[in-house]
Amino acid sequence: MSLVSHTCVDCGQRSAPSDSSYSLIGAGGWRLVRAAGVNGTRVCNWRCPECWMTHKQQTGAKTLINVPVAEVAPRTRAGGR
């Protein structure tokens, strides 16, 4: 398996090489945020722990850790269907 490294979209810092993006997110504190690109496509932005904290404070971004379950759980139609 090859090692993967990502670049912070804000400061340009490179992550430590890892065999999995999950390692960067879990142990490394890096965050991956999906956003709309300029032409309507979806883009994935990696942020280092320091830039993530700044981004979170400036935008009020939420993580699954602090989002109420009602906002994460899929909504069902009336009657439970």
Side-chain angles (χ1 to χ4, degrees):
M1 182 179 262
S2 62
L3 297 179
V4 177
S5 184
H6 296 285
T7 303
C8 177
V9 70
D10 293 329
C11 71
Q13 176 183 342
R14 297 281 296 169
S15 68
S18 173
D19 61 353
S20 167
S21 294
Y22 296 109
S23 299
L24 293 174
I25 294 169
W30 284 69
R31 294 294 180 256
L32 179 62
V33 178
R34 292 183 296 169
V38 292
N39 59 356
T41 60
R42 302 293 282 173
V43 295
C44 293
N45 294 324
W46 282 95
R47 286 190 171 82
C48 68
E50 295 80 19
C51 290
W52 170 249
M53 290 304 293
T54 302
H55 173 76
K56 187 175 170 183
Q57 290 169 348
Q58 291 175 347
T59 65
K62 296 179 180 179
T63 63
L64 291 181
I65 294 169
N66 63 9
V67 174
V69 173
E71 292 182 33
V72 177
R75 296 177 189 223
T76 59
R77 294 175 19 196
R81 294 185 229 178

Coordinates of all heavy atoms in Angstrom, one line a residue:
M1 N 0.9 -1.2 0.0 CA 0.0 0.0 0.0 C 0.9 1.2 0.0 O 1.9 1.3 0.7 CB -0.9 0.0 1.2 CG -1.9 1.1 1.3 SD -2.9 1.0 2.7 CE -4.4 0.3 2.0
S2 N 0.6 2.2 -0.8 CA 1.4 3.4 -0.9 C 0.9 4.4 0.1 O -0.2 4.5 0.6 CB 1.3 4.0 -2.3 OG 0.0 4.4 -2.6
L3 N 1.9 5.3 0.5 CA 1.6 6.3 1.5 C 0.9 7.5 0.8 O 1.3 7.9 -0.3 CB 2.8 6.7 2.3 CG 3.5 5.6 3.1 CD1 4.7 6.2 3.8 CD2 2.5 5.1 4.1
V4 N 0.0 8.2 1.5 CA -0.7 9.3 1.0 C -0.4 10.5 1.8 O -0.3 10.5 3.1 CB -2.2 9.1 1.0 CG1 -3.0 10.3 0.5 CG2 -2.6 7.9 0.1
S5 N -0.2 11.7 1.2 CA 0.0 13.0 1.9 C -0.9 14.0 1.3 O -1.2 14.0 0.1 CB 1.5 13.4 1.8 OG 1.7 14.6 2.5
H6 N -1.5 14.9 2.2 CA -2.4 15.9 1.7 C -1.9 17.3 2.1 O -1.0 17.4 2.9 CB -3.8 15.7 2.3 CG -4.4 14.4 1.9 ND1 -5.0 14.2 0.7 CD2 -4.6 13.3 2.6 CE1 -5.4 13.0 0.6 NE2 -5.2 12.4 1.8
T7 N -2.4 18.3 1.4 CA -1.9 19.7 1.6 C -3.1 20.5 2.2 O -4.2 20.5 1.6 CB -1.5 20.3 0.3 OG1 -0.4 19.5 -0.3 CG2 -0.9 21.7 0.5
C8 N -2.8 21.3 3.2 CA -3.8 22.2 3.8 C -4.2 23.2 2.8 O -3.3 23.9 2.2 CB -3.3 22.8 5.1 SG -4.4 24.0 5.8
V9 N -5.5 23.4 2.5 CA -6.0 24.4 1.6 C -5.7 25.8 2.0 O -5.6 26.7 1.2 CB -7.5 24.1 1.3 CG1 -8.3 24.5 2.5 CG2 -7.9 24.9 0.1
D10 N -5.5 26.1 3.3 CA -5.3 27.4 3.8 C -3.9 27.8 3.9 O -3.5 28.9 3.5 CB -6.0 27.6 5.2 CG -7.5 27.5 5.1 OD1 -8.1 27.9 4.0 OD2 -8.2 27.0 6.0
C11 N -3.0 27.0 4.6 CA -1.7 27.4 4.8 C -0.6 26.7 4.0 O 0.5 27.0 4.0 CB -1.3 27.2 6.3 SG -1.1 25.5 6.8
G12 N -1.0 25.6 3.3 CA -0.1 24.9 2.4 C 0.7 23.8 3.1 O 1.6 23.2 2.5
Q13 N 0.5 23.6 4.4 CA 1.3 22.6 5.1 C 1.0 21.2 4.6 O -0.2 20.9 4.3 CB 0.9 22.7 6.6 CG 1.6 21.6 7.5 CD 1.1 21.7 8.9 OE1 0.6 22.7 9.4 NE2 1.3 20.6 9.7
R14 N 2.0 20.4 4.5 CA 1.8 19.0 4.0 C 1.6 18.1 5.3 O 2.3 18.3 6.3 CB 3.0 18.5 3.2 CG 3.3 19.2 2.0 CD 2.4 18.8 0.8 NE 2.6 17.4 0.4 CZ 1.8 16.8 -0.4 NH1 0.8 17.4 -0.9 NH2 2.1 15.5 -0.7
S15 N 0.7 17.2 5.1 CA 0.5 16.2 6.2 C 1.6 15.2 6.2 O 2.3 15.0 5.2 CB -0.9 15.5 6.0 OG -0.8 14.6 4.9
A16 N 1.8 14.5 7.3 CA 2.7 13.4 7.4 C 2.2 12.3 6.5 O 1.0 12.1 6.4 CB 2.8 12.9 8.8
P17 N 3.1 11.6 5.8 CA 2.6 10.5 4.9 C 1.9 9.5 5.8 O 2.3 9.1 6.9 CB 3.9 9.9 4.4 CG 4.9 11.1 4.5 CD 4.5 11.8 5.7
S18 N 0.8 8.9 5.3 CA 0.0 8.0 6.0 C -0.5 7.0 5.0 O -0.7 7.3 3.8 CB -1.1 8.7 6.7 OG -2.0 7.8 7.2
D19 N -0.8 5.8 5.5 CA -1.4 4.8 4.6 C -2.9 4.9 4.5 O -3.5 4.2 3.7 CB -1.0 3.4 5.0 CG -1.5 3.0 6.4 OD1 -2.0 3.9 7.1 OD2 -1.3 1.9 6.8
S20 N -3.5 5.8 5.2 CA -4.9 6.0 5.2 C -5.3 7.4 5.6 O -4.7 8.0 6.5 CB -5.6 5.0 6.2 OG -6.9 5.3 6.4
S21 N -6.3 7.9 4.9 CA -6.8 9.3 5.3 C -7.5 9.2 6.6 O -7.5 10.2 7.3 CB -7.9 9.7 4.2 OG -7.2 10.0 3.0
Y22 N -8.0 8.1 7.1 CA -8.6 7.9 8.4 C -7.6 8.2 9.5 O -7.9 8.7 10.5 CB -9.2 6.5 8.6 CG -10.3 6.2 7.6 CD1 -10.1 5.3 6.6 CD2 -11.5 6.9 7.7 CE1 -11.2 5.1 5.7 CE2 -12.6 6.7 6.8 CZ -12.4 5.7 5.8 OH -13.4 5.5 4.9
S23 N -6.3 7.9 9.3 CA -5.3 8.1 10.2 C -5.1 9.6 10.4 O -4.9 10.1 11.5 CB -3.9 7.5 9.8 OG -4.1 6.1 9.8
L24 N -5.1 10.4 9.3 CA -5.0 11.8 9.4 C -6.1 12.5 10.1 O -5.9 13.4 10.9 CB -4.9 12.4 8.0 CG -3.7 12.1 7.1 CD1 -3.8 12.6 5.7 CD2 -2.4 12.6 7.8
I25 N -7.3 12.0 9.9 CA -8.5 12.5 10.5 C -8.6 12.2 12.0 O -8.8 13.0 12.8 CB -9.8 12.1 9.8 CG1 -9.8 12.7 8.4 CG2 -11.0 12.5 10.6 CD1 -10.9 12.1 7.5
G26 N -8.3 10.9 12.3 CA -8.5 10.4 13.7 C -7.3 10.9 14.6 O -7.5 11.7 15.5
A27 N -6.2 10.4 14.3 CA -5.0 10.7 15.2 C -4.3 12.0 14.8 O -3.7 12.6 15.7 CB -4.0 9.5 15.1
G28 N -4.4 12.4 13.6 CA -3.7 13.6 13.1 C -4.4 14.9 13.3 O -3.8 15.9 13.3
G29 N -5.7 14.8 13.5 CA -6.5 16.1 13.7 C -6.8 16.8 12.4 O -7.4 17.9 12.4
W30 N -6.4 16.3 11.2 CA -6.8 16.9 10.0 C -8.2 16.8 9.7 O -8.9 15.8 10.2 CB -6.0 16.3 8.8 CG -4.5 16.7 8.8 CD1 -3.6 16.4 9.7 CD2 -3.9 17.6 7.8 NE1 -2.4 17.0 9.4 CE2 -2.6 17.8 8.2 CE3 -4.4 18.2 6.7 CZ2 -1.7 18.5 7.5 CZ3 -3.5 19.0 6.0 CH2 -2.2 19.1 6.4
R31 N -8.8 17.7 8.9 CA -10.2 17.6 8.6 C -10.4 17.8 7.1 O -9.7 18.5 6.4 CB -11.0 18.8 9.3 CG -11.0 18.6 10.8 CD -11.8 17.3 11.2 NE -11.9 17.1 12.6 CZ -11.1 16.2 13.3 NH1 -10.3 15.5 12.6 NH2 -11.3 16.1 14.6
L32 N -11.4 17.1 6.6 CA -11.7 17.1 5.2 C -13.1 17.7 5.1 O -14.1 17.2 5.7 CB -11.8 15.7 4.6 CG -12.1 15.5 3.1 CD1 -11.1 16.2 2.2 CD2 -12.2 14.0 2.8
V33 N -13.2 18.8 4.3 CA -14.5 19.5 4.1 C -14.9 19.5 2.7 O -14.1 19.9 1.8 CB -14.4 20.9 4.6 CG1 -15.7 21.7 4.4 CG2 -14.0 20.9 6.1
R34 N -16.1 19.0 2.4 CA -16.6 19.1 1.0 C -17.3 20.4 0.8 O -18.0 20.9 1.6 CB -17.6 18.0 0.7 CG -17.0 16.6 0.7 CD -18.0 15.5 0.4 NE -19.0 15.5 1.5 CZ -20.1 14.8 1.4 NH1 -20.4 14.1 0.3 NH2 -21.0 14.8 2.4
A35 N -17.0 21.0 -0.4 CA -17.6 22.3 -0.7 C -17.9 22.4 -2.2 O -17.5 21.5 -3.0 CB -16.5 23.4 -0.3
A36 N -18.7 23.4 -2.5 CA -19.0 23.6 -4.0 C -17.9 24.4 -4.6 O -17.4 25.3 -4.1 CB -20.3 24.4 -4.1
G37 N -17.4 23.9 -5.8 CA -16.4 24.5 -6.5 C -17.0 25.7 -7.4 O -18.2 25.9 -7.4
V38 N -16.1 26.4 -8.0 CA -16.6 27.6 -8.8 C -17.5 27.2 -9.9 O -18.4 28.0 -10.3 CB -15.4 28.4 -9.3 CG1 -14.6 29.0 -8.2 CG2 -14.5 27.5 -10.2
N39 N -17.4 26.1 -10.5 CA -18.3 25.7 -11.6 C -19.4 24.7 -11.2 O -20.0 24.1 -12.0 CB -17.4 25.1 -12.8 CG -16.7 23.8 -12.3 OD1 -16.7 23.5 -11.1 ND2 -16.0 23.2 -13.2
G40 N -19.6 24.6 -9.9 CA -20.7 23.8 -9.4 C -20.3 22.4 -9.0 O -21.1 21.6 -8.5
T41 N -19.0 22.0 -9.3 CA -18.6 20.7 -8.9 C -18.3 20.7 -7.4 O -18.2 21.7 -6.8 CB -17.3 20.3 -9.7 OG1 -16.3 21.3 -9.4 CG2 -17.6 20.3 -11.2
R42 N -18.2 19.5 -6.9 CA -17.8 19.3 -5.5 C -16.3 19.2 -5.4 O -15.7 18.5 -6.1 CB -18.5 18.1 -4.9 CG -20.0 18.0 -5.0 CD -20.7 19.1 -4.2 NE -20.7 18.7 -2.8 CZ -21.2 19.4 -1.9 NH1 -21.6 20.6 -2.1 NH2 -21.2 19.0 -0.6
V43 N -15.8 19.9 -4.4 CA -14.3 19.8 -4.1 C -14.1 19.3 -2.7 O -15.0 19.6 -1.8 CB -13.6 21.1 -4.4 CG1 -13.6 21.5 -5.9 CG2 -14.2 22.2 -3.6
C44 N -13.0 18.7 -2.4 CA -12.6 18.3 -1.0 C -11.5 19.1 -0.6 O -10.4 19.1 -1.2 CB -12.3 16.8 -1.0 SG -13.7 15.8 -1.4
N45 N -11.6 19.8 0.5 CA -10.5 20.7 1.1 C -10.0 20.1 2.4 O -10.8 19.9 3.3 CB -11.1 22.1 1.4 CG -11.5 22.8 0.1 OD1 -10.8 22.7 -0.9 ND2 -12.5 23.6 0.2
W46 N -8.7 19.8 2.4 CA -8.1 19.3 3.6 C -7.6 20.5 4.4 O -7.1 21.5 3.8 CB -6.9 18.4 3.2 CG -7.3 17.0 2.8 CD1 -7.4 16.6 1.6 CD2 -7.5 15.9 3.7 NE1 -7.8 15.3 1.6 CE2 -7.8 14.8 2.9 CE3 -7.5 15.8 5.1 CZ2 -8.2 13.6 3.4 CZ3 -7.8 14.5 5.6 CH2 -8.1 13.4 4.8
R47 N -7.7 20.4 5.7 CA -7.2 21.5 6.6 C -6.4 20.9 7.7 O -6.9 19.9 8.3 CB -8.3 22.4 7.2 CG -8.9 23.3 6.1 CD -9.9 24.3 6.8 NE -10.3 25.3 5.8 CZ -11.2 25.2 4.9 NH1 -11.9 24.1 4.8 NH2 -11.5 26.1 4.0
C48 N -5.3 21.5 8.0 CA -4.5 21.0 9.2 C -5.2 21.4 10.5 O -6.2 22.2 10.4 CB -3.1 21.7 9.1 SG -3.1 23.4 9.4
P49 N -4.8 20.8 11.6 CA -5.6 21.1 12.9 C -5.7 22.6 13.2 O -6.7 23.1 13.6 CB -4.8 20.4 13.9 CG -4.1 19.3 13.2 CD -3.8 19.8 11.8
E50 N -4.6 23.4 13.0 CA -4.6 24.8 13.3 C -5.6 25.6 12.4 O -6.4 26.4 12.9 CB -3.2 25.4 13.2 CG -2.2 24.8 14.2 CD -1.7 23.5 13.8 OE1 -1.7 23.1 12.6 OE2 -1.2 22.8 14.7
C51 N -5.5 25.3 11.1 CA -6.4 26.0 10.2 C -7.8 25.5 10.3 O -8.8 26.3 10.1 CB -5.9 25.8 8.7 SG -4.4 26.6 8.4
W52 N -8.0 24.3 10.7 CA -9.4 23.8 11.0 C -10.0 24.6 12.1 O -11.2 25.0 12.0 CB -9.4 22.3 11.2 CG -10.8 21.9 11.7 CD1 -11.1 21.5 13.0 CD2 -12.0 21.9 11.0 NE1 -12.5 21.2 13.1 CE2 -13.1 21.5 11.9 CE3 -12.4 22.3 9.7 CZ2 -14.4 21.4 11.5 CZ3 -13.7 22.2 9.3 CH2 -14.7 21.7 10.2
M53 N -9.3 24.8 13.2 CA -9.8 25.6 14.3 C -10.2 27.0 13.9 O -11.3 27.5 14.2 CB -8.8 25.6 15.5 CG -8.6 24.2 16.1 SD -10.2 23.5 16.8 CE -10.6 24.7 18.0
T54 N -9.3 27.6 13.1 CA -9.6 29.0 12.6 C -10.8 29.0 11.7 O -11.7 29.8 11.9 CB -8.4 29.5 11.8 OG1 -7.3 29.5 12.7 CG2 -8.7 30.9 11.3
H55 N -10.9 28.0 10.8 CA -12.0 27.9 9.9 C -13.3 27.7 10.6 O -14.4 28.3 10.4 CB -11.8 26.7 8.9 CG -13.0 26.4 8.0 ND1 -13.3 27.2 6.9 CD2 -13.9 25.4 8.1 CE1 -14.4 26.7 6.3 NE2 -14.7 25.6 7.0
K56 N -13.3 26.8 11.6 CA -14.4 26.5 12.4 C -15.0 27.7 13.2 O -16.2 28.0 13.3 CB -14.1 25.4 13.4 CG -15.2 24.8 14.2 CD -14.8 23.6 15.0 CE -15.8 23.2 16.0 NZ -15.4 22.1 16.8
Q57 N -14.0 28.5 13.8 CA -14.4 29.7 14.5 C -15.0 30.8 13.6 O -15.9 31.5 13.9 CB -13.2 30.3 15.3 CG -12.8 29.4 16.4 CD -11.4 29.8 17.0 OE1 -10.7 30.6 16.4 NE2 -11.1 29.2 18.1
Q58 N -14.4 30.9 12.4 CA -14.9 31.9 11.5 C -16.2 31.6 10.8 O -17.0 32.5 10.5 CB -13.8 32.2 10.4 CG -12.6 32.9 10.9 CD -11.5 33.0 9.9 OE1 -11.5 32.4 8.8 NE2 -10.5 33.8 10.2
T59 N -16.4 30.3 10.5 CA -17.6 29.9 9.8 C -18.7 29.3 10.6 O -19.8 29.1 10.1 CB -17.3 29.0 8.6 OG1 -16.8 27.8 9.2 CG2 -16.2 29.6 7.7
G60 N -18.4 28.9 11.8 CA -19.3 28.2 12.6 C -19.5 26.8 12.1 O -20.5 26.1 12.4
A61 N -18.5 26.3 11.4 CA -18.6 24.9 10.9 C -18.8 23.9 12.0 O -18.3 24.1 13.1 CB -17.3 24.6 10.1
K62 N -19.5 22.9 11.7 CA -19.8 21.8 12.7 C -19.1 20.5 12.3 O -18.9 20.3 11.1 CB -21.3 21.6 12.7 CG -22.1 22.7 13.2 CD -23.6 22.4 13.2 CE -24.4 23.6 13.7 NZ -25.9 23.3 13.6
T63 N -18.8 19.8 13.3 CA -18.3 18.4 13.1 C -19.3 17.5 13.5 O -20.2 17.8 14.3 CB -17.0 18.2 13.8 OG1 -17.3 18.3 15.2 CG2 -15.9 19.2 13.5
L64 N -19.2 16.2 13.1 CA -20.2 15.2 13.6 C -20.1 15.0 15.1 O -21.1 14.5 15.7 CB -20.0 13.9 12.9 CG -20.3 13.9 11.4 CD1 -20.1 12.6 10.8 CD2 -21.8 14.4 11.1
I65 N -19.1 15.5 15.7 CA -19.0 15.3 17.2 C -19.9 16.3 17.9 O -20.5 15.9 18.9 CB -17.5 15.6 17.6 CG1 -16.6 14.5 17.0 CG2 -17.4 15.7 19.1 CD1 -15.1 14.8 17.2
N66 N -20.1 17.5 17.3 CA -21.0 18.4 18.0 C -22.3 18.8 17.3 O -22.9 19.8 17.5 CB -20.2 19.7 18.3 CG -19.7 20.4 17.1 OD1 -20.1 20.1 16.0 ND2 -18.9 21.5 17.3
V67 N -22.7 17.9 16.3 CA -23.9 18.1 15.6 C -25.0 17.2 16.3 O -24.8 16.1 16.5 CB -23.8 17.7 14.1 CG1 -25.1 17.8 13.4 CG2 -22.8 18.6 13.4
P68 N -26.2 17.8 16.6 CA -27.3 17.0 17.2 C -27.7 15.9 16.2 O -27.6 16.0 15.0 CB -28.4 18.0 17.3 CG -27.7 19.4 17.3 CD -26.5 19.2 16.5
V69 N -28.0 14.8 16.8 CA -28.4 13.6 16.0 C -29.5 13.9 15.0 O -29.4 13.4 13.9 CB -28.8 12.4 17.0 CG1 -29.3 11.2 16.2 CG2 -27.6 12.0 17.8
A70 N -30.4 14.7 15.3 CA -31.5 15.0 14.4 C -31.0 15.7 13.1 O -31.6 15.5 12.1 CB -32.5 16.0 15.1
E71 N -29.9 16.3 13.2 CA -29.3 16.9 11.9 C -28.5 15.9 11.1 O -28.3 16.1 9.9 CB -28.4 18.1 12.3 CG -29.1 19.3 12.9 CD -28.2 20.4 13.2 OE1 -27.2 20.6 12.4 OE2 -28.4 21.2 14.1
V72 N -28.1 14.8 11.7 CA -27.3 13.8 11.0 C -28.2 12.7 10.5 O -28.0 12.2 9.4 CB -26.2 13.3 11.9 CG1 -25.4 12.2 11.2 CG2 -25.3 14.4 12.4
A73 N -29.1 12.3 11.3 CA -30.0 11.1 11.0 C -30.8 11.4 9.7 O -31.3 12.5 9.6 CB -30.9 10.7 12.1
P74 N -31.0 10.5 8.9 CA -31.8 10.7 7.7 C -33.3 10.9 8.1 O -33.7 10.3 9.1 CB -31.7 9.4 6.9 CG -31.1 8.4 7.8 CD -30.4 9.1 8.9
R75 N -33.9 11.8 7.4 CA -35.3 12.1 7.8 C -36.2 11.0 7.1 O -36.0 10.6 6.0 CB -35.7 13.5 7.3 CG -34.9 14.5 8.0 CD -35.2 15.9 7.4 NE -34.3 16.8 8.0 CZ -34.6 18.0 8.5 NH1 -35.8 18.4 8.4 NH2 -33.7 18.8 9.0
T76 N -37.3 10.7 7.8 CA -38.2 9.7 7.3 C -39.5 10.4 7.0 O -39.9 11.4 7.6 CB -38.5 8.5 8.2 OG1 -38.9 9.0 9.5 CG2 -37.2 7.8 8.4
R77 N -40.3 9.9 6.1 CA -41.6 10.4 5.8 C -42.6 10.1 6.9 O -42.3 9.1 7.7 CB -42.1 9.9 4.5 CG -41.3 10.4 3.4 CD -41.6 9.9 2.0 NE -42.8 9.3 1.8 CZ -43.1 8.5 0.7 NH1 -42.2 8.3 -0.1 NH2 -44.3 8.0 0.6
A78 N -43.7 10.8 7.0 CA -44.7 10.5 8.0 C -45.1 9.0 7.9 O -45.3 8.5 6.8 CB -45.9 11.4 7.8
G79 N -45.3 8.4 9.0 CA -45.7 7.0 9.0 C -44.5 6.1 9.1 O -44.7 4.9 9.0
G80 N -43.3 6.6 9.1 CA -42.1 5.8 9.2 C -41.7 5.1 7.9 O -40.9 4.2 8.0
R81 N -42.1 5.6 6.8 CA -41.8 4.9 5.5 C -40.5 5.5 5.0 O -40.2 6.6 5.1 CB -42.9 5.1 4.5 CG -44.1 4.3 5.0 CD -45.1 4.3 3.9 NE -46.4 4.7 4.5 CZ -47.5 4.9 3.8 NH1 -47.4 4.8 2.5 NH2 -48.6 5.2 4.4

